[in-house]
Amino acid sequence: MKLAVAGLLPDDYRKIDSGFLRQLSDDGFKAVGCYEEPLVELGAEGRKEFKAKLDDFGLGVHSWFVVTDTHIRPDHPDRSRDVDRFRLSAEMAHELDAESVGTSPGSFDPRFRWAGHPDNLKHEGRELMADSMREICPFYEDADVKLGLEFGSASVVISPQQALWVLNAVQSPILGVYADPVNQAHSYDSLFNSGEIINQLFDYLGPYILCYHARDAWVIPGYEMHIRAGAAGKGVMDFRTFFKRAKALNPSLSLLIEHTPVEEIREARDYVRKIAEEVGLQIE
């Protein structure tokens, strides 16, 4: 397994220097998670230089997200523009030899793409998602780039079963999923029995998993339900089951440390290395 990390790059990728990249490499990371906008701002030549800098230190581009929910809103005025963003991201990912590009299914909440809404529970949302993926996936097929769906409780695709329905409806060889069990921790019972949701994720979607995400979740005490996510090792997620299933499925896939405060990244890295060693999963 290769370690990747998100959230460390500066806002302007032109300001990345050799000392920063050397430290990333020395810390054991093999790839970096990026953001769409700074890559667009670099332009084609800038992206070529960015890739060359990474190459010099044995680093690759892991992934980034196309952040939008207009793909489930056929009449949204920004939808055409956002479809073009998917097209450009496929081209950029080919230039950078990125592992994949990701996106979320979206939400019917007009305020935020990753928010719970009653209409998210209707099958119509999954049908709209499948329709948009049938339009978008050919960009990635032409570029020979994987497109990863990150789904969860606050979107129109909630469960592994629903994600499998979308994948079967689209039937694209490049469309897969990101294995991030925290997204399926919908309630206290699922969080405190996270081994069950991890096993479900692998049972239904194993052949479609593109990479693994390392973050944790925990409950903030109080009368209202508050589930928070953050650094691996800070919560109650069953990483032993997660890594056992990863080892059995495909131990060569990458593990992305994400949604982790910068000052806690090395601690999270050490934690996932420790658990991986306990279950016999080798990390490069």
Side-chain angles (χ1 to χ4, degrees), residues 37-95:
E37 187 175 343
L39 291 173
V40 173
E41 291 175 351
L42 283 177
E45 284 303 312
R47 288 190 292 273
K48 188 181 298 184
E49 294 173 7
F50 174 61
K51 184 178 185 304
K53 287 181 182 179
L54 293 176
D55 288 345
D56 285 344
F57 293 92
L59 297 166
V61 173
H62 184 274
S63 59
W64 64 89
F65 251 56
V66 180
V67 180
T68 176
D69 60 11
T70 63
H71 48 316
I72 60 167
R73 303 171 188 270
D75 300 321
H76 196 287
D78 294 335
R79 189 178 186 281
S80 177
R81 180 204 65 188
D82 288 340
V83 168
D84 282 341
R85 288 171 53 201
F86 278 102
R87 187 197 311 270
L88 176 58
S89 271
E91 294 170 358
M92 293 193 300
H94 180 77
E95 294 170 357

Side-chain angles (χ1 to χ4, degrees), residues 137-157:
C137 281
F139 307 150
Y140 293 82
E141 292 167 9
D142 291 344
D144 193 25
V145 172
K146 299 291 185 182
L147 179 61
L149 181 63
E150 183 161 1
F151 61 95
S153 57
S155 76
V156 298
V157 179

Side-chain angles (χ1 to χ4, degrees), residues 146-283:
K146 299 291 185 182
L147 179 61
L149 181 63
E150 183 161 1
F151 61 95
S153 57
S155 76
V156 298
V157 179
I158 293 175
S159 67
Q161 297 94 320
Q162 293 178 359
L164 183 60
W165 184 91
V166 171
L167 292 164
N168 286 334
V170 177
Q171 290 288 310
S172 172
I174 56 82
L175 184 61
V177 298
Y178 292 154
D180 188 339
V182 170
N183 288 326
Q184 280 76 63
H186 305 162
S187 59
Y188 289 164
D189 60 335
S190 59
L191 178 59
F192 292 138
N193 296 287
S194 61
E196 294 181 12
I197 60 175
I198 289 166
N199 282 325
Q200 236 188 31
L201 181 63
F202 281 83
D203 289 346
Y204 280 94
L205 297 171
Y208 300 100
I209 291 174
L210 303 179
C211 69
Y212 313 113
H213 284 184
R215 59 182 179 134
D216 217 327
W218 56 89
V219 171
I220 296 178
Y223 288 113
E224 292 134 0
M225 187 170 74
H226 293 291
I227 296 177
R228 293 291 181 265
K234 296 292 186 180
V236 298
M237 293 299 292
D238 186 353
F239 274 88
R240 286 172 181 81
T241 295
F242 190 24
F243 286 173
K244 285 178 183 177
R245 294 301 303 263
K247 178 186 175 186
L249 175 70
N250 188 345
S252 67
L253 295 180
S254 60
L255 177 72
L256 177 69
I257 295 175
E258 60 161 7
H259 295 289
T260 299
V262 171
E263 65 274 13
E264 296 178 7
I265 284 176
R266 288 185 178 86
E267 186 179 355
R269 175 205 61 190
D270 293 344
Y271 176 77
V272 298
R273 284 188 179 277
K274 173 179 175 291
I275 303 302
E277 184 178 358
E278 288 178 6
V279 303
L281 175 61
Q282 184 177 358
I283 293 182

